[in-house]
Amino acid sequence: MAGKILQKSFSHKALWLAGAAILSPCAVSAQEVGDEEIPEIVVTASSVKKKAEDAPASVTVVTEEQLHERPARDLTEVLDRVEGVTMNRAGNQRTIQLRGLGSAYTLFLIDGKRVSSSNNMFRGNDFDAGWVPVEAISRVEVVRGPMSSLYGSDAIGGVVNIITKPVGKSWAGSVSADYIYQENRDAGDAYKVGFFTSGPLIANTLGLKLYGGYNRRERDGAVNNVATIPGFTDKHEEYLDGTLVWTPRDGQELSTNYGYNRLTHDGFPMQRGSYAVTHKGEWGWASSQVRVSGDTIKNEIGNVTGQINPNTADNMQIDGRMTFPFNSGRQSLTVGAEWRTQKLEDAANLRGLPGTPTYDKNPVTEVDQSALFFEGDMRLTETLTLTIGDRYDDHENFGGHHSPRAYLVWKMTPQLTLKTGASQAFRAPTLLQNSPNWGSVSCGSATVGCYIIGSTELKPETATSAEFGLRYKGERFTGGLTLFSTDLENMIDITNRTANKTLAPTYSNFVGFLPDGRPIFRYQNIAKVETKGVETNLGLRLNEAWDLSANYTHLESENTSGTTSIPMIYQPEHSANATLNWKPSGAVRLYASVNYVGEQYLAAYSNAAYNVVMEGYATFDFGATWDVKNNLTLRAGMLNLTDKQIVRETTTEYNEDGRRVFVALTQRF
């Protein structure tokens, strides 16, 4: 049995029926209830600010209120409630997947600035969803579907843009503390503290914002049935970030930012120092943005358990854009350019092949790329808007690639909107995958396993995507349905490897043997993946005190490279969420929610007899918020009310925490 499921109150069938009872077949996200009073403005889905309903993409906004609804150690514990988002939980790590494509195809942005630690931590990067504490986040914009026309490589699956709180006109801030108590005392408790403050140093001219905090989830004890299989590992994180904003006159803004993070996951500490200098200008005839940004990320330990092999990645980007409105604002044209460089120093893995003349000669690899892009926003009629764009990326190792996109938004009626679009995207191999000087131990052993290396023979991955959606927005009801599909070709793969010296030469990516006899394998373009599905969402305001939100995703994701299609792993075919909110007074708010994760493959092969399947399950949460007085807010509740636990019996499985209680305090000033 894959991932033994323990439950103390209800059967699996009862849990599913209870969740399904409050879900609708046509459904909008919780944050969309009440859009008519406060329209959501998004900045990630196009080159200009737009209402979410008018944005040329499928976009969900997770609001500040939703971020604090339940305790969240990082964004994975919030975004798993968004339609089209699933979690890859291999090895008890949680990484975000959009529309059936893994975390490598999701571009993370912090205030529009690219962030990735995949070069430092190639063995499961679960760091990028945790660089910003929830206390500092104003909202998160999740764009599902390729956005390479604006953002280039890594945005094939979509974009997650973490938008931090702005500098206020007057001094204000907050201090918060959370605690999660596990009913199962073998499971690790979690706690965090954080602060945010901002205000003017010189009125209307110079402002400052600061945030920081500490966040920890303690290591599990003996929570699994097999003593050698670990539960959740220890995670602790420290943050400190500051931004100065200078506004010398109306329409001109210059900001400088520096941040420091140290995230430690399972004994692997990563330090990140980030910086940015940004100028935004409003000129009347156009608006502009120019930015220099980057970071230095240090992996203090390396990638192999039991060894100390640190590495350091330096990333820098210079980008700029100008937007020209014309025809009385009915149209706009945005043009931009970008230059980006990546550099990695890794004395342990950038050594070349042992036994060759170039071994241990150069522990550094780097790559540059530049891009030009445009996006035109054209209102063809009062109700019909066409967005077209293209990006030309010139990669040092792979030459030029276009990423075109076209999207149509039709306001069929004041309440009903049709959205449809198509795009092409590409993703260049990572710095490691493409470097022939890079290599790492693999196949389960650092001494008798196998060895994997980068390859200069790799081709960029390419994707073609399309979507069609309808959205209804009424006074008390909002609902939407989107059909989507993506064909990904030339997926880069390293699963073909073995420690068996006899079988190794039969593999297509076999290179040879190390002097000690271990077989060597290179990354290769082998996989073709097709994903398609349906996303629905619902928002229903029952009355002034009660509202309901729900979403459902149906996903089919397969590797179609061979003669037999193979299901993609950690991709639930069905996912659903629902939340019922009650506001009995202005000071008190309560919610009850259900999260359903459908049946999924934990391992899949061409011979289906060897597949490992995890059955679907549901968890229930409830919580309350009380604005006590003097800007003091108390939150409390229970997670996984029915204590539906999942324990690992093999390494392909993952844990699901059981019943736990949370309490949190926030003092605003």
Side-chain angles (χ1 to χ4, degrees), residues 173 221 227 364 370 376 514 661:
V364 176
S370 56
L514 292 177
V661 176

Side-chain angles (χ1 to χ4, degrees), residues 349-361:
N349 294 311
L350 284 168
R351 309 177 71 180
L353 282 175
T356 64
T358 58
Y359 182 65
D360 250 355
K361 297 297 184 181

Side-chain angles (χ1 to χ4, degrees), residues 195-214:
F195 76 91
F196 176 88
T197 185
S198 75
L201 299 175
I202 302 174
N204 301 316
T205 303
L206 186 64
L208 171 70
K209 71 174 178 180
L210 290 170
Y211 64 81
Y214 177 80

Side-chain angles (χ1 to χ4, degrees), residues 315-379:
N315 306 287
M316 180 182 177
Q317 178 174 306
I318 303 173
D319 62 271
R321 63 175 64 185
M322 293 198 72
T323 299
F324 304 91
F326 55 95
N327 195 8
S328 301
R330 293 171 59 88
Q331 279 85 29
S332 68
L333 174 65
T334 299
V335 294
E338 175 187 297
W339 175 81
R340 182 156 53 99
T341 183
Q342 302 175 71
K343 178 181 178 182
L344 176 70
E345 182 175 355
D346 189 338
N349 294 311
L350 284 168
R351 309 177 71 180
L353 282 175
T356 64
T358 58
Y359 182 65
D360 250 355
K361 297 297 184 181
N362 184 12
V364 176
T365 184
E366 55 189 311
V367 67
D368 296 342
Q369 54 189 305
S370 56
L372 297 172
F373 63 89
F374 82 91
E375 184 174 273
D377 194 62
M378 297 171 285
R379 186 181 297 180

Side-chain angles (χ1 to χ4, degrees), residues 132-151:
V132 182
V134 172
E135 289 74 19
I137 300 175
S138 172
R139 68 186 189 277
V140 181
E141 297 180 4
V142 182
V143 183
R144 303 180 299 281
M147 290 298 295
S148 292
S149 61
L150 281 178
Y151 301 106

Side-chain angles (χ1 to χ4, degrees), residues 292-313:
V292 178
S293 61
D295 57 25
T296 296
I297 304 177
K298 297 181 180 180
N299 183 337
E300 300 177 14
I301 298 296
N303 287 275
V304 180
T305 301
Q307 298 183 7
I308 300 179
N309 298 305
N311 62 54
T312 301

Side-chain angles (χ1 to χ4, degrees), residues 75 108 110 115-118 125-131 162 263 297:
L75 287 182
F108 273 90
I110 300 174
V115 58
S116 175
S117 52
S118 58
N125 171 23
D126 64 342
F127 289 84
D128 290 340
W131 294 117
I162 304 163
L263 313 186
I297 304 177

